Amino acid sequence: MSGISTAAIFSSDGSDLEALSLETFRFQYRENALYRAYTDALRIQPDKVRSLAQIPFLPIQFFKTHQITCGNFEPQLVFESSGTTQTINSRHLVKEAAIYEQSFLTAFERFYGPVTDFVVVGLLPSYLERQHSSLVYMVQNMVQRSGHPASGFYLYEHDKLYHQLLELEARGQKTLLIGVTFGLLDFAEQYALQLKNTIVMETGGMKGRREEWTRDQVHGFLKERLGCSHIHAEYGMTELLSQAYSYGEGLFNTPPWMKVLVRDENDPFQFYTEKAAGVINVVDLANVYSCAFIATEDIGRLHEHGTFEVLGRLDNSALRGCSLMVS
């Protein structure tokens, strides 16, 4: 069994996304038993699917109850979502670690340049305290690739982090401070900085640690306390192997092999164009050996040039660690 060429995926400029998506759909219909059963249940005939809008998107909840794989394999990585003791966590079985690494590295460097230019600092306390976090795996890999001795993780050592950031700023060193939202807020409440050489990137996530704030409240507070002109953001989840990035104002950009569509809540094949709010579907072609077409439970809106914003969560859906309430 061989999937679509990863070389074709990660060298794509986006113009061939529909063709690559159709090729991936046919491969996954053939090799993924659950996705095939779901497609058949919708009475969709694969040979009549000729556009991206006709491809069925698998509800994300299936990652909680089934193994979503193309064929049988021993996964090199197993990622699990965060959750409470009352929730069932999603599990994503990743056939090849190299695919995930190529996806997040290629995407990050496309938007921000070489990882080796940065000191990479992770403020991810809740994620570091559990195993199988795709976010921790990504940041840990970037820490190693950065090659800077100052790169690393911080749990709750805010004073140490403060002095490290002061030193990096004094040296004019480009730095990426990537953190879960409540961790960044906790740090910024204690310390004020003027970060001119540091990208502050929030990954979402209150997880009941603090009162929920809107995106504007979070970003406004962090900008004021940390001296940043913009707060960047990352949009990713356990069930995806790719991430979208925002340079500020909550507008996310996707790499060429990833695309966000916005659908009607009640009609899965009714898609919206710009400005209308709906439920987010994600095409992630890096999900070669799981499912590349995911119907999430996030509410979003499309904007110009393929950008999108996340507005919140569907009612009655399980809380996700990467969700963040926005205005």
Side-chain angles (χ1 to χ4, degrees):
M1 180 190 69
S2 62
I4 186 173
S5 163
T6 54
I9 292 170
F10 297 123
S11 63
S12 171
D13 63 1
S15 62
D16 54 353
L17 181 110
E18 185 158 59
L20 291 172
S21 296
L22 289 168
E23 184 181 348
T24 301
F25 163 68
R26 293 188 177 98
F27 166 74
Q28 294 187 337
Y29 177 84
R30 186 174 69 248
E31 301 292 343
N32 185 324
L34 177 72
Y35 186 55
R36 182 169 61 253
Y38 179 71
T39 301
D40 290 346
L42 294 176
R43 298 184 178 177
I44 292 172
Q45 297 177 342
D47 58 342
K48 293 185 178 178
V49 173
R50 296 187 179 133
S51 71
L52 182 57
Q54 294 175 308
I55 293 175
F57 284 73
L58 186 73
I60 201 167
Q61 286 288 338
F62 278 113
F63 280 86
K64 296 177 181 290
T65 55
H66 294 75
Q67 290 193 358
I68 313 298
T69 61
C70 291
N72 296 313
F73 56 79
E74 188 67 32
Q76 292 185 0
L77 300 171
V78 177
F79 293 137
E80 289 189 10
S81 63
S82 58
T84 67
T85 54
Q86 288 79 35
T87 60
I88 301 171
N89 294 345
S90 294
R91 297 179 81 244
H92 191 173
L93 307 184
V94 181
K95 184 178 182 180
E96 299 175 18
I99 294 176
Y100 182 46
E101 292 171 10
Q102 187 173 7
S103 179
F104 68 66
L105 191 66
T106 305
F108 179 85
E109 295 195 337
R110 179 181 182 87
F111 293 119
Y112 293 100
V115 171
T116 50
D117 288 351
F118 291 88
V119 166
V120 179
V121 177
L123 184 59
L124 305 166
S126 60
Y127 291 85
L128 286 172
E129 291 164 349
R130 63 182 180 85
Q131 295 183 320
H132 307 302
S133 162
S134 58
L135 179 60
V136 168
Y137 186 96
M138 178 181 81
V139 176
Q140 190 167 43
N141 188 279
M142 291 170 63
V143 164
Q144 294 168 349
R145 289 177 185 272
S146 80
H148 289 274
S151 292
F153 286 97
Y154 290 80
L155 272 165
Y156 300 101
E157 312 104 316
H158 290 170
D159 190 63
K160 182 180 176 183
L161 173 59
Y162 170 71
H163 287 97
Q164 180 68 81
L165 290 173
L166 280 180
E167 180 184 327
L168 293 169
E169 281 291 323
R171 285 166 28 200
Q173 170 62 54
K174 285 177 68 173
T175 301
L176 171 67
L177 172 59
I178 181 169
V180 64
T181 305
F182 79 83
L184 290 172
L185 289 173
D186 288 348
F187 173 69
E189 279 182 343
Q190 291 182 269
Y191 298 96
L193 288 157
Q194 289 296 314
L195 299 178
K196 304 305 180 190
N197 302 296
T198 300
I199 291 172
V200 177
M201 181 180 291
E202 55 97 354
T203 66
M206 292 294 201
K207 293 168 56 61
R209 299 291 187 113
R210 348 175 12 121
E211 176 189 354
E212 291 281 1
W213 286 9
T214 67
R215 181 193 65 227
D216 287 346
Q217 287 175 313
V218 169
H219 287 201
F221 181 77
L222 291 177
K223 284 191 286 188
E224 178 185 350
R225 295 289 296 169
L226 300 181
C228 305
S229 57
H230 296 90
I231 301 299
H232 296 237
E234 178 257 5
Y235 178 80
M237 56 187 70
T238 300
E239 300 86 355
L240 303 177
L241 295 185
S242 300
Q243 299 78 31
Y245 290 100
S246 168
Y247 296 131
E249 312 308 324
L251 291 180
F252 288 93
N253 300 271
T254 57
W257 60 89
M258 182 184 185
K259 183 178 178 66
V260 162
L261 298 87
V262 173
R263 73 180 191 273
D264 183 272
E265 180 179 351
N266 299 310
D267 182 352
F269 289 97
Q270 175 63 49
F271 293 100
Y272 297 139
T273 53
E274 290 177 19
K275 304 304 182 184
V279 189
I280 289 177
N281 281 1
V282 180
V283 178
D284 182 8
L285 297 183
N287 278 15
V288 180
Y289 296 108
S290 53
C291 183
F293 311 100
I294 305 298
T296 79
E297 294 172 341
D298 292 334
I299 302 293
R301 178 183 289 129
L302 295 178
H303 289 268
E304 294 178 334
H305 311 300
T307 61
F308 69 97
E309 65 176 317
V310 182
L311 300 172
R313 301 278 294 150
L314 272 176
D315 291 340
N316 303 319
S317 62
L319 289 173
R320 178 182 304 282
C322 65
S323 67
L324 174 65
M325 285 180 61
V326 295
S327 57

